[in-house]
């Protein structure tokens, strides 16, 4: 195989830029790994949905399930006759048609990158050691955090401190207990920590910070905002929608509650890039564009697309299927940023839509964006970043939500 510079770059940085289109392919595992020194994410655990029927409610991709001779033959459902689209659906369809050429061109350039296609199956399997992801043993932080016991729950944080003068490289473990819910917990700059809670272990990246609370307490983030605000704000809200599977995965919030998120107070007065994940529902899009973004002071919005592919490079579904598009949209815009100001060598304003492609992990888990967006983030480098409604932590990030430790469970990691 002829290994291109782009493939080397994917292996080193987690990003493969597809020069012939405004698109890039990401490996979230490599990107997330940058937050760890002693641990690494296990690819087969991150990409577990790619290996047959999932216990996480995901779809099997890549590997076909073996047909069981005992399985009853399901009656094929009769397809309902296609009905006429209503006025709102027609607007959504027009929006899709507008995005379609960009999405097709991105996917075409992925299919032309032969070295990348050949690499994908290896990328999702990692070194071949398959780690079992037993999600049934996980702690349910949403439930625990809403119980009357929540203020009483404590976690024990274990930090490895280098020994003073004696044996070189040896470490002593320091332990400290702290309330787990409704309290900002920070990990120091130099090494990751391990958090013990209810007989499970959580890997906490170096220089990460989290607050596990319900929406009611989201303003507690502001008193902790002592460094004058964040330069990258990523928000992936639990939008209300009719999808039953999503309801099982996590609780949703009425959309209008988001008007009360203290986004402006969290943004750096010198400028912040805001990224908002949205669904493909037209009604939601209208609320976001007409009310939500203006109320947060977000201007100059651009749309990006996350196109989801399988490990053989094909799309996870038909591009034109109305209710199940194989892509999600993210709106990006600026708060407190001055378009008239001269762009510096390390910052430029976003211009035009782009497509990000990756093999999806667990249900609703989004790819990490900081690196691919780095040149568009105003303010100091490295930027201060915050994720609202987070389910994982990262170095240099503050993560807030009712389950930010969800993907920090040690079953997703191995020791280096
Ligand atoms: N971006 C995340 C990822 O990549 O894994 C997914 C976020 S998911 C769309 C929305 C999150 O919001 C879920 O973790 C859900 O539990 C959380 N959530 C729902 N209701 C909440 C509430 N009232 N307060 C805080 N978080 C809430």
């Amino acid at each position: 195989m002829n290994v291109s510079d782009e493939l080397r770059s994917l292996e080193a940085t987690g990003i493969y830029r597809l020069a012939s289109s405004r698109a890039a392919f990401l490996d979230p595992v490599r990107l997330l790994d940058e937050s760890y020194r002693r641990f690494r994410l296990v690819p087969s655990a991150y990409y577990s949905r790619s290996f047959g029927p999932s216990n996480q409610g995901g779809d099997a991709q890549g590997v076909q399930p073996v047909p069981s001779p005992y399985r009853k033959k399901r009656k094929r459902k009769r397809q309902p006759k296609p009905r006429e689209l209503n006025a709102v659906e027609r607007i959504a369809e027009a929006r899709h048609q507008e995005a379609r050429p960009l999405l097709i061109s991105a996917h075409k350039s992925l299919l032309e990158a032969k070295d990348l296609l050949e690499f994908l199956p290896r990328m999702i399997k990692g070194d071949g050691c398959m780690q079992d992801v037993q999600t049934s043993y996980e702690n349910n932080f949403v439930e625990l955090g809403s119980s009357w016991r929540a203020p009483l729950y404590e976690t024990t944080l274990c930090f490895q401190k280098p020994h003073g003068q004696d044996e070189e490289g040896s470490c002593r473990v320091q332990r400290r207990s702290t309330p787990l819910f409704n309290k900002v917990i920070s990990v120091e700059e130099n090494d990751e920590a391990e958090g013990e809670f209810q007989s499970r272990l959580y890997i906490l990246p170096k220089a990460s910070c989290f607050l596990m609370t319900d929406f009611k307490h989201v303003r507690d983030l502001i008193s902790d905002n002592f460094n004058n605000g964040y330069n990258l704000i990523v928000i992936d809200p639990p939008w209300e929608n009719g999808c039953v599977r999503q309801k099982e995965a996590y609780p949703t919030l009425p959309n209008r509650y988001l008007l009360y998120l203290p986004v402006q107070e969290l943004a750096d007065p010198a400028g912040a890039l805001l990224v908002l994940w949205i669904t493909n529902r037209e009604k939601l899009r209208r609320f976001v564009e007409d009310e939500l973004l203006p109320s947060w002071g977000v201007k100059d919005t651009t749309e990006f697309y996350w196109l989801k592919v399988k490990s053989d490079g094909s799309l996870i579904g038909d591009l034109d299927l109305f209710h199940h598009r194989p892509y999600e949209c993210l709106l990006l815009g600026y708060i407190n940023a001055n378009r008239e100001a001269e762009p510096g060598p390390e910052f430029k304003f976003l211009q035009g839509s782009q497509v990000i492609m990756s093999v999806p992990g667990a249900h609703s888990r989004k790819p990490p964006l900081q690196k691919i967006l780095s040149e568009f983030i105003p303010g100091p480098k490295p930027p201060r970043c915050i994720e609202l409604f987070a389910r994982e932590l990262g170095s240099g990030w503050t993560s807030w939500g009712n389950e930010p430790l969800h993907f920090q469970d040690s079953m997703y990691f191995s020791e280096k």
Side-chain angles (χ1 to χ4, degrees):
M1 181 182 57
N2 190 8
V3 174
S4 64
D5 290 346
E6 285 79 14
L7 188 60
R8 277 192 211 102
S9 152
L10 178 72
E11 291 192 86
T13 69
I15 301 180
Y16 188 115
R17 291 189 192 270
L18 293 146
S20 55
S21 62
R22 292 177 66 84
F25 179 86
L26 306 187
D27 178 10
V29 171
R30 280 179 168 75
L31 289 163
L32 292 170
D33 264 344
E34 290 181 4
S35 288
Y36 303 91
R37 202 177 61 86
R38 283 185 292 123
F39 296 89
R40 64 159 67 92
L41 275 91
V42 177
S44 63
Y46 183 95
Y47 293 115
S48 60
R49 274 210 287 170
S50 297
F51 304 104
S54 159
N55 48 5
Q56 298 170 46
D59 306 318
Q61 301 164 4
V63 181
Q64 291 301 313
V66 181
S68 158
Y70 305 111
R71 195 182 296 156
K72 274 191 187 164
K73 267 197 182 165
R74 277 216 212 124
K75 270 194 186 161
R76 193 183 279 260
K77 268 195 194 159
R78 191 172 296 163
Q79 293 294 323
K81 272 198 192 139
R83 60 168 176 83
E84 290 258 313
L85 300 180
N86 64 34
V88 177
E89 288 169 340
R90 280 201 296 276
I91 300 173
E93 181 56 26
R95 211 184 277 286
H96 168 68
Q97 290 301 331
E98 212 175 294
R100 211 172 170 275
L102 186 68
L103 293 163
I104 289 177
S105 139
H107 190 229
K108 188 167 165 269
S109 52
L110 172 75
L111 295 179
E112 283 165 2
K114 296 291 177 221
D115 57 349
L116 174 58
L117 287 186
E118 210 169 301
F119 179 68
L120 288 189
R122 267 188 292 141
M123 181 193 85
I124 67 164
K125 282 197 194 117
D127 56 10
C129 137
M130 305 286 279
Q131 194 147 310
D132 203 11
V133 179
Q134 294 278 355
T135 51
S136 48
Y137 297 131
E138 279 175 318
N139 276 315
N140 184 336
F141 292 112
V142 177
E143 231 171 79
L144 292 164
S146 55
S147 110
W148 64 269
R149 286 198 194 92
L152 308 175
Y153 287 128
E154 294 213 322
T155 176
T156 305
L157 301 177
C158 310
F159 301 91
Q160 288 201 355
K161 295 278 176 194
H163 259 306
Q165 301 297 325
D166 49 358
E167 303 150 68
E168 225 174 86
S170 74
C171 288
R172 72 196 147 88
V173 175
Q174 213 174 60
R175 291 168 178 272
R176 141 166 94 80
S177 289
T178 173
L180 181 60
F181 293 96
N182 307 323
K183 169 131 192 332
V184 174
I185 297 180
S186 302
V187 180
E188 292 167 24
E189 286 289 325
N190 40 357
D191 196 16
E192 49 260 48
E194 285 146 87
E196 289 167 8
F197 179 65
Q198 298 208 336
S199 43
R200 303 225 32 112
L201 200 63
Y202 296 88
I203 311 300
L204 314 178
K206 56 186 156 60
S208 65
C209 176
F210 69 95
L211 173 63
M212 185 143 62
T213 64
D214 182 72
F215 183 77
K216 290 197 280 284
H217 304 289
V218 65
R219 295 192 72 85
D220 291 357
L221 280 171
I222 297 168
S223 52
D224 188 55
N225 196 10
F226 40 78
N227 280 346
N228 283 330
Y230 296 96
N231 311 104
L232 175 62
I233 303 175
V234 174
I235 312 181
D236 183 15
W239 300 114
E240 276 179 315
N241 88 33
C243 171
V244 179
R245 215 175 58 186
Q246 181 180 332
K247 280 187 186 148
E248 280 169 8
Y250 51 76
T252 58
L253 270 182
N255 296 345
R256 301 196 70 79
Y257 281 27
L258 297 164
L259 292 164
Y260 297 93
L261 271 185
V263 172
Q264 263 191 330
E265 286 108 312
L266 291 170
D268 185 337
L273 174 67
L274 176 125
V275 179
L276 177 67
W277 288 93
I278 55 170
T279 68
N280 290 321
R281 282 175 60 230
E282 192 55 32
K283 217 172 128 195
L284 174 70
R285 168 72 75 126
R286 282 198 197 165
F287 164 67
V288 167
E289 285 181 346
D290 298 348
E291 289 187 64
L292 194 59
L293 294 182
S295 81
W296 290 345
V298 179
K299 297 195 176 118
D300 303 312
T301 34
T302 304
E303 185 163 7
F304 274 32
Y305 305 95
W306 173 37
L307 189 59
K308 300 178 224 179
V309 298
K310 295 184 196 173
S311 56
D312 62 0
S314 63
L315 298 181
I316 62 159
D318 183 342
L319 184 60
D320 296 315
L321 212 57
F322 189 82
H323 287 294
H324 298 280
R325 305 279 194 222
Y327 65 90
E328 293 192 33
C329 305
L330 43 161
L331 295 178
L332 302 96
Y334 289 98
I335 306 175
N336 308 327
N338 178 7
R339 259 207 184 267
E340 306 309 314
E342 278 288 300
E346 291 190 305
F347 169 68
K348 59 180 188 210
F349 275 97
L350 276 164
Q351 259 175 357
S353 296
Q354 291 188 26
V355 181
I356 292 164
M357 286 176 280
S358 71
V359 177
H363 172 56
S364 198
R365 191 172 188 182
K366 308 299 192 297
L369 297 172
Q370 181 184 345
K371 203 173 207 175
I372 190 89
L373 295 177
S374 65
E375 59 187 328
F376 306 117
I377 304 172
K381 303 282 172 202
R384 295 196 69 234
C385 308
I386 187 165
E387 182 175 358
L388 304 180
F389 301 106
R391 291 192 298 180
E392 67 195 352
L393 312 183
S395 272
W397 284 78
T398 296
S399 303
W400 167 81
N402 61 11
E403 50 172 353
L405 289 191
H406 184 90
F407 291 121
Q408 299 308 131
D409 191 300
S410 60
M411 72 181 162
Y412 295 106
F413 295 85
S414 67
E415 254 180 278
K416 274 186 185 163

